[in-house]
Amino acid sequence: MAVGAKKEEESIEIVKPRNDKREYRRIVLDNALQVLLISDPETDKCAASMGVGVGAFSDPEGLEGLAHFLEHMLFYASEKYPLEDSYSKYITEHGGSTNAFTSSEQTNFYFEVNADCFEEALDRFAQFFIKPLMSPDATTREIKAVDSEHQKNLLSDAWRMSQLQKHLSTKGHAYNKFSTGSWETLEVRPKARGLDTRQELLKFYVENYSANLMHLVIYAKDTLDKAQTLVENKFHEIQNIDKSSPRFTGQPCSSEHLQILVKAVPIKQGHKLRIIWPSTPEIRYYKEGPCRYLGHLIGHEGEGSLFYVLKKLGWATSLSAGDSDSTNEFSFFKVVIELTDAGHEHFEDIVALTFRYIQLLQKSGTCKWIFDEISAICETAFHYKDKIRPSDYAVNIALNMQWYPPQDWLVGSSLPSKFNPGIIQSILDELVPSNVRIFWESTKFEGHTDMKEPWYGTAYSVEKITSAMIQEWMAKAPNEDLHLPSPNVFIPTDLSIKDATQKTAYPLNLRKSSYSRLWYKRDTVFLTPKAHVIIDFNCPCAGNSPEAVVLTEIFTRLLMDYLNEYAYDAQVAGLYYGVSNTNNGFQVTVVGYNHKLRILLDTVIERIAKFEVKPDRFSVIKELVTKDYQNFKFQQPYQLAMYYGSLIVHDQALPWDEELEVLPHLESDNLVRFYPQMLSRTFLEFYVAGNIEPKEAELMVQHIEDMFYKGPMSLSQSLFASQHLTTRVVKLEKGVSYYYTAEGLNPSDENSALLHYIQVHQDDVLLNVKLQLFGLVAKQPAFHQLRSVEQLGYITVLMQRDDFGVRGVQFIIQSTAKGPKHINSRVEAFLKMFESKLHEMTPEEFKSNVNALVDLKLEKHKNLHEETRFYWREISDGTLKFDRKELEVAALKQLTKEDLIGFFNQYIKVGAPQKSSLSVLIYGSSHISEHSKDKSELGEPDNVVIEDIFSFKRSRPLFGSFKGGIGLVKL
């Protein structure tokens, strides 16, 4: 029986983008649940997101992390669907994904799934908010999962510094809390007080999960009327206790927490300055956008800006500014500056120049033309917004629903439209010395602090700073020319869609020469005024030694550095560029509105052609690159395992420590000599897609060819046939298990990690789909068994792997609970258990999984960026199967359960004769004592322990490459 709901779309018109064909309707169920229905007949996936207006701020005293723990527990099971993990299994088997997160004032649950399975998935989802089980058995296991998540965060500077800012606030205020929870807060301390965590959890759920505090977004393929009926039937049973929305009044920072300088010791090398003011929440004035206006100016990077001056002085490498940690009651305006070593020594000057820029804004008054420019940029961005994943879209709107009136649920704060100088001035008046908190992070403070933050153990000290001190600093600071930005010339004015005379399903090889190859794909699907241009500079000299790799990286970063003040306006206006090093050279990408894209691209190319090395900037970039290499050892252990895995199987990969070793000896003169050598022989691979005509694309390529190869001062010559390099992959021997063991690089990190990689085959349509089907069928059972049941670690993943067309599958697990050898044995135990599950699979289950994979493959690209990423991968790997999806779907439809079992028995099964596996075992500090014993035990028959990576690589054959010479499709 359908239950009534108020339909309110007649009275409220929801503002939506001009190019958005989707339909929207707001309804309120009888239990006061507010719902936004979205109908998109073109979608392949349907989605739902439930925002519950209760988060970590509502945690009871002494039960820190309870809201987050509840988020974990709801996923397990419900009275209607009591089988543990059946919800996640259903979603995964039907081409979907699901997740949740807890923020300060909201907990959000979401999923997406194939459209034809949406109704049942939605029913399972709804039961979490009606009658969840939260079994006693799952409680202890999931507290361990929460603790494992906390262990993962312990050595993260982002988490540590965020908690330190909270710690230095008013005790008893919600902002002061520790939000994620741990074994200590959810098990040890409650037990010591005689509390039963599960009972507290049930109580918290009953008292807070009320329908009137919930906001639901439904993204459906059906009509709005059908979606409404579905929601009314599924969600009307959620209880409504008419609970008042939690409010956390009062400012989190009293006078003792203002006018302070906090010196803190981070984990990673480097120096960072956070200048913070408690401020009026932007949410109250979202149409006036005062923080957006001030953030735009204080965070500007063009000539005359604060960052421009700090960069010119050699003191800063990045700067951002804006509203942060915002609620209805309080907010913080933050300026975050990454400092160089020299900048660290000029701390007072940097603070002074920041306040001097704020003083400039006070004197200049609020400029209408600047507000109008911001407003125009925001309006264009809103109306030409790309489609994104349905679940991401649903989550974004569910978050907005808690804060904004219904007509602005899609807009949020993204359309400032009311110019109000008084409101902007009132926020500016809050950015004063008497209201400031300065957090200064540097490893140089090690041994010079006297306090520790209790949850993460961050070392810090606090000093008082007065307005008078800051005034003194301002008087002594360098007298630099700070001024407001000039009008932005990159704002697009021509947003017309060009007529496409020729419709092509796949990229065309439009132009070919000994210097370059142009792939072109006209946009006839998304019909937005945008384009995507990729230029791959294939330079054999760029990757042939550690020195060459490092110099190429410094070159690309210097190029970005030089372009910044010119091209920053382009980024603000929605035109993005990037220059990055690749395995065999470097790559230029320009993406965004096509109207002025060519102007930006020509400038980037000109800067490459006329590149000069400025010794002062070289020193700054070298310092940055050095710190990045030094900070390599602070990666998460699972990332280190993935690094070693790639180092072992990628033929030309070089180790980070060799690159770090050569760095100190490289000077600007080395780059002066290296740059012309790098570009002396090069081949350019172009991909041009979007709202650009073929002739435009060809002229673009011709212009760049002329500049590099044909001018009086030409830099480059075409590659010799022997110089067309490819990245090749080491072929692991069949029937052999390889092991590589290493101790973690950070002695403070207790986490160990395992990468268990199974190499299967080189790109082949039939084998691809068998491997993908195995991955789909095994993914959720692996997560459930290894993460939920055995609690090996929060990070537990089974995923596909593709190394330049060589396909495989890998398990990645990070753990403090168990050592990597034990984890590896549990992966093998899972594979043995999974073998019987594979045989027990019913014909219906097999067909359902095949259909899910077919739907996944037939899913349309949602935007130009997604489409470009797909086709560029085919081009860069050399596989060129632009019709890959269609070929693989045809193969999938022919598969039988016996084919899948045969594949498993041949390539995946423990002990399979054709199986090639590589296990990378990383030992954290809590398991380091097991390392040598484990290593000696691994060397059994048919096991090979890799002692020296490079000797091993030299001893193994390589897979052939798909990349041929000029114009060749395959070797």
Side-chain angles (χ1 to χ4, degrees):
M1 181 184 103
V3 177
K6 291 175 277 184
K7 188 165 86 175
E8 304 205 6
E9 84 281 8
E10 291 91 353
S11 54
I12 295 167
E13 188 178 341
I14 294 170
V15 179
K16 71 174 194 174
R18 279 193 292 270
N19 68 342
D20 189 351
K21 300 190 189 88
R22 294 169 289 205
E23 292 184 317
Y24 298 85
R25 177 186 295 171
R26 176 197 182 224
I27 61 171
V28 183
L29 300 193
D30 289 343
N31 59 0
L33 174 67
Q34 292 205 58
V35 186
L36 181 69
L37 307 171
I38 306 170
S39 169
D40 179 4
E42 294 177 359
T43 192
D44 302 297
K45 291 271 196 289
C46 293
S49 172
M50 177 73 91
V52 184
V54 177
F57 279 1
S58 297
D59 285 344
E61 195 63 42
L63 280 162
E64 292 85 0
L66 193 67
H68 178 218
F69 178 42
L70 175 57
E71 170 230 303
H72 275 240
M73 286 296 290
L74 280 192
F75 271 106
Y76 267 93
S78 61
E79 283 189 18
K80 186 172 179 182
Y81 299 99
L83 191 63
E84 193 175 286
D85 216 44
S86 66
Y87 160 75
S88 299
K89 184 172 184 284
Y90 183 85
I91 298 286
T92 306
E93 286 178 355
H94 294 90
S97 60
T98 180
N99 215 330
F101 60 87
T102 305
S103 62
S104 300
E105 296 184 89
Q106 187 176 128
T107 307
N108 191 283
F109 304 82
Y110 60 94
F111 76 90
E112 67 177 45
V113 74
N114 290 339
D116 57 348
C117 311
F118 186 47
E119 184 167 349
E120 184 174 337
L122 197 64
D123 192 53
R124 291 168 178 272
F125 182 72
Q127 293 305 311
F128 297 151
F129 310 100
I130 298 167
K131 284 188 177 172
L133 273 187
M134 297 195 274
S135 70
D137 177 46
T139 303
T140 305
R141 280 189 274 133
E142 212 50 38
I143 292 175
K144 286 180 180 173
V146 168
D147 187 66
S148 178
E149 189 175 351
H150 174 58
Q151 295 293 329
K152 171 184 72 73
N153 300 336
L154 274 176
L155 296 176
S156 157
D157 281 328
W159 283 98
R160 292 164 74 87
M161 297 307 162
S162 170
Q163 192 62 43
L164 181 58
Q165 290 166 48
K166 293 178 176 188
H167 178 63
L168 294 171
S169 66
T170 305
K171 300 283 179 285
H173 193 284
Y175 180 70
N176 184 250
K177 291 181 175 181
F178 166 59
S179 60
T180 54
S182 65
W183 183 257
E184 180 76 16
T185 67
L186 294 169
E187 176 69 16
V188 178
R189 292 186 187 183
K191 200 167 261 180
R193 291 165 52 209
L195 291 178
D196 180 328
T197 303
R198 181 169 176 269
Q199 290 308 313
E200 295 300 317
L201 184 77
L202 295 170
K203 183 177 158 194
F204 187 83
Y205 176 81
V206 169
E207 290 179 359
N208 290 283
Y209 273 49
S210 177
N212 72 304
L213 296 185
M214 298 183 183
H215 296 92
L216 176 66
V217 179
I218 296 293
Y219 196 106
K221 195 177 179 78
D222 282 333
T223 63
L224 290 174
D225 287 342
K226 278 190 178 173
Q228 179 167 338
T229 303
L230 194 61
V231 168
E232 288 167 358
N233 285 331
K234 305 289 183 201
F235 291 89
H236 71 275
E237 286 182 63
I238 298 176
Q239 65 158 356
N240 176 21
I241 57 170
D242 206 24
K243 183 175 171 66
S244 300
S245 193
R247 288 191 65 198
F248 305 95
T249 53
Q251 287 303 306
C253 298
S254 57
S255 57
E256 68 177 293
H257 306 114
L258 301 174
Q259 295 190 75
I260 56 170
L261 167 61
V262 181
K263 293 176 179 174
V265 183
I267 299 289
K268 291 187 174 180
Q269 293 292 324
H271 324 282
K272 190 175 277 189
L273 197 55
R274 301 175 200 266
I275 305 172
I276 303 171
W277 297 266
S279 62
T280 305
E282 172 92 336
I283 193 91
R284 293 184 191 171
Y285 305 115
Y286 69 94
K287 286 188 186 292
E288 291 82 2
C291 293
R292 186 183 283 267
Y293 176 92
L294 294 171
H296 170 76
L297 292 174
I298 299 170
H300 209 279
E301 297 182 17
E303 197 177 330
S305 67
L306 173 61
F307 178 67
Y308 178 83
V309 164
L310 295 178
K311 183 181 148 184
K312 190 179 80 173
L313 292 164
W315 294 349
T317 56
S318 76
L319 185 150
S320 62
D323 193 39
S324 174
D325 294 334
S326 190
T327 74
N328 261 326
E329 303 293 332
F330 66 88
S331 184
F332 294 94
F333 191 92
K334 297 185 181 182
V335 178
V336 182
I337 309 170
E338 297 267 4
L339 307 178
T340 60
D341 290 346
H344 179 72
E345 301 304 320
H346 285 273
F347 158 78
E348 291 179 6
D349 290 329
I350 292 169
V351 173
L353 285 166
T354 304
F355 276 102
R356 205 181 275 172
Y357 192 84
I358 290 167
Q359 202 174 61
L360 164 73
L361 297 183
Q362 288 279 13
K363 286 177 184 163
S364 307
T366 307
C367 302
K368 187 171 188 301
W369 74 266
I370 293 176
F371 181 87
D372 289 344
E373 198 174 80
I374 295 167
S375 184
I377 289 166
C378 289
E379 189 169 345
T380 304
F382 177 72
H383 288 297
Y384 293 97
K385 195 185 288 185
D386 288 334
K387 262 191 175 181
I388 58 174
R389 280 179 61 171
S391 58
D392 291 341
Y393 191 57
V395 168
N396 292 345
I397 297 169
L399 293 173
N400 281 349
M401 286 168 77
Q402 185 167 334
W403 304 114
Y404 300 97
Q407 63 268 26
D408 290 330
W409 280 350
L410 308 188
V411 170
S413 61
S414 66
L415 278 184
S417 54
K418 292 181 180 174
F419 179 60
N420 189 320
I423 287 173
I424 294 172
Q425 187 61 47
S426 70
I427 303 292
L428 187 57
D429 290 343
E430 294 175 328
L431 310 187
V432 291
S434 59
N435 197 33
V436 79
R437 291 152 56 85
I438 301 177
F439 288 77
W440 184 11
E441 302 159 33
S442 174
T443 44
K444 290 197 173 180
F445 296 139
E446 198 152 357
H448 301 283
T449 59
D450 57 359
M451 286 182 266
K452 278 209 163 159
E453 188 279 318
W455 298 108
Y456 291 82
T458 307
Y460 74 97
S461 62
V462 182
E463 301 166 27
K464 273 290 182 185
I465 45 168
T466 62
S467 298
M469 286 165 74
I470 291 173
Q471 293 297 337
E472 254 179 66
W473 299 347
M474 287 171 74
K476 290 189 297 188
N479 190 21
E480 294 293 327
D481 179 25
L482 292 164
H483 59 80
L484 295 179
S486 306
N488 190 335
V489 296
F490 281 101
I491 297 173
T493 51
D494 178 4
L495 296 163
S496 59
I497 306 298
K498 298 179 181 184
D499 291 334
T501 47
Q502 190 182 4
K503 293 203 174 188
T504 54
Y506 305 116
L508 300 170
N509 187 189
L510 201 58
R511 185 181 186 279
K512 194 163 60 180
S513 74
S514 60
Y515 309 115
S516 73
R517 181 164 59 169
L518 166 62
W519 296 96
Y520 170 79
K521 172 74 172 66
R522 183 58 211 269
D523 171 24
T524 56
V525 179
F526 312 109
L527 302 177
T528 59
K530 296 178 182 179
H532 211 120
V533 175
I534 298 172
I535 311 169
D536 196 56
F537 284 74
N538 189 337
C539 311
C541 287
N544 61 10
S545 69
E547 288 88 350
V549 169
V550 174
L551 286 169
T552 305
E553 180 164 358
I554 293 174
F555 160 72
T556 60
R557 294 228 207 166
L558 269 175
L559 202 56
M560 291 288 284
D561 185 70
Y562 295 164
L563 283 161
N564 192 59
E565 52 261 26
Y566 168 78
Y568 179 75
D569 272 348
Q571 292 191 57
V572 170
L575 193 52
Y576 303 94
Y577 70 100
V579 187
S580 58
N581 51 317
T582 62
N583 292 316
N584 298 317
F586 64 97
Q587 193 169 288
V588 173
T589 307
V590 183
V591 54
Y593 302 111
N594 60 275
H595 180 205
K596 297 183 179 179
L597 182 143
R598 180 68 192 270
I599 301 166
L600 177 60
L601 179 64
D602 285 354
T603 305
V604 173
I605 294 300
E606 190 181 333
R607 293 285 174 97
I608 295 170
K610 297 178 179 175
F611 182 75
E612 58 174 308
V613 182
K614 300 174 185 172
D616 60 330
R617 296 313 297 165
F618 177 92
S619 299
V620 169
I621 298 301
K622 177 184 167 182
E623 182 191 312
L624 255 182
V625 171
T626 303
K627 282 175 186 161
D628 282 352
Y629 276 102
Q630 289 169 338
N631 286 329
F632 181 89
K633 60 180 175 285
F634 299 116
Q635 289 190 98
Q636 294 267 346
Y638 80 89
Q639 294 170 315
L640 188 60
M642 291 169 74
Y643 157 77
Y644 282 125
S646 295
L647 188 62
I648 290 166
V649 299
H650 293 175
D651 176 41
Q652 292 172 25
L654 296 175
W656 73 280
D657 49 343
E658 288 182 7
E659 290 161 12
L660 177 59
E661 193 178 316
V662 302
L663 246 169
H665 310 293
L666 297 174
E667 299 302 336
S668 56
D669 286 353
N670 296 100
L671 185 55
V672 169
R673 288 191 295 274
F674 172 75
Y675 157 74
Q677 186 188 354
M678 176 180 72
L679 278 175
S680 63
R681 296 267 174 194
T682 185
F683 181 77
L684 309 179
E685 187 98 63
F686 289 83
Y687 181 81
V688 179
N691 194 35
I692 287 185
E693 287 166 353
K695 197 70 193 160
E696 281 181 271
E698 290 187 72
L699 288 170
M700 194 186 287
V701 173
Q702 185 65 59
H703 170 70
I704 294 168
E705 264 192 20
D706 290 348
M707 187 173 279
F708 281 94
Y709 299 96
K710 297 170 185 173
M713 303 283 287
S714 62
L715 290 166
S716 307
Q717 296 179 65
S718 60
L719 292 188
F720 290 118
S722 62
Q723 289 182 295
H724 282 267
L725 295 178
T726 59
T727 305
R728 295 176 68 183
V729 176
V730 169
K731 189 181 278 191
L732 302 178
E733 193 174 334
K734 301 288 182 191
V736 175
S737 298
Y738 293 95
Y739 293 89
Y740 180 75
T741 71
E743 292 179 3
L745 299 176
N746 178 5
S748 304
D749 199 332
E750 294 184 1
N751 288 284
S752 292
L754 169 77
L755 167 77
H756 183 94
Y757 164 55
I758 302 168
Q759 189 181 75
V760 180
H761 66 283
Q762 192 169 27
D763 191 40
D764 169 273
V765 169
L766 189 56
L767 282 171
N768 288 354
V769 296
K770 289 177 182 178
L771 178 68
Q772 289 158 9
L773 189 58
F774 162 73
L776 180 72
V777 174
K779 183 180 177 181
Q780 191 53 37
F783 181 84
H784 178 62
Q785 180 63 31
L786 301 172
R787 152 73 157 76
S788 303
V789 177
E790 298 188 29
Q791 286 297 319
L792 293 178
Y794 177 73
I795 295 173
T796 301
V797 183
L798 168 59
M799 62 191 290
Q800 306 281 318
R801 179 168 176 147
D802 180 357
D803 297 275
F804 312 103
V806 175
R807 305 298 183 99
V809 69
Q810 59 189 3
F811 291 81
I812 299 163
I813 301 172
Q814 180 167 298
S815 178
T816 49
K818 300 291 180 184
K821 182 170 178 278
H822 175 84
I823 298 170
N824 196 62
S825 71
R826 298 316 301 155
V827 168
E828 295 198 332
F830 165 76
L831 288 172
K832 285 174 185 169
M833 183 182 79
F834 182 74
E835 186 181 349
S836 59
K837 287 196 171 183
L838 204 53
H839 285 277
E840 290 160 14
M841 191 191 294
T842 65
E844 292 73 33
E845 283 177 315
F846 177 79
K847 191 168 187 301
S848 171
N849 279 294
V850 168
N851 290 342
L853 191 53
V854 167
D855 287 347
L856 215 55
K857 291 192 167 300
L858 292 179
E859 201 175 319
K860 297 184 285 285
H861 299 297
K862 286 171 279 301
N863 52 55
L864 184 63
H865 176 70
E866 260 186 35
E867 182 189 86
T868 297
R869 196 170 57 203
F870 177 83
Y871 289 130
W872 179 251
R873 181 72 188 259
E874 294 293 333
I875 293 163
S876 61
D877 283 354
T879 42
L880 300 179
K881 285 192 182 127
F882 298 135
D883 58 348
R884 176 179 298 279
K885 292 182 175 189
E886 292 78 3
L887 292 170
E888 291 185 350
V889 164
L892 250 178
K893 288 179 175 175
Q894 303 301 313
L895 273 196
T896 65
K897 180 181 158 183
E898 286 64 38
D899 292 332
L900 181 60
I901 291 171
F903 171 82
F904 179 84
N905 289 341
Q906 190 175 359
Y907 295 103
I908 309 291
K909 180 179 172 176
V910 176
Q914 293 290 297
K915 182 172 181 176
S916 308
S917 72
L918 166 66
S919 294
V920 178
L921 292 76
I922 305 296
Y923 287 79
S925 59
S926 56
H927 304 112
I928 216 151
S929 59
E930 303 166 18
H931 184 194
S932 54
K933 180 174 174 285
D934 286 357
K935 193 170 177 181
S936 64
E937 290 173 357
L938 289 170
E940 300 165 0
D942 294 333
N943 287 0
V944 173
V945 178
I946 299 169
E947 295 287 353
D948 176 77
I949 290 176
F950 303 99
S951 297
F952 168 74
K953 285 163 77 163
R954 283 190 287 270
S955 73
R956 295 299 309 150
L958 304 175
F959 282 97
S961 171
F962 285 108
K963 288 198 108 169
I966 303 159
L968 294 180
V969 173
K970 286 188 181 178
L971 286 176

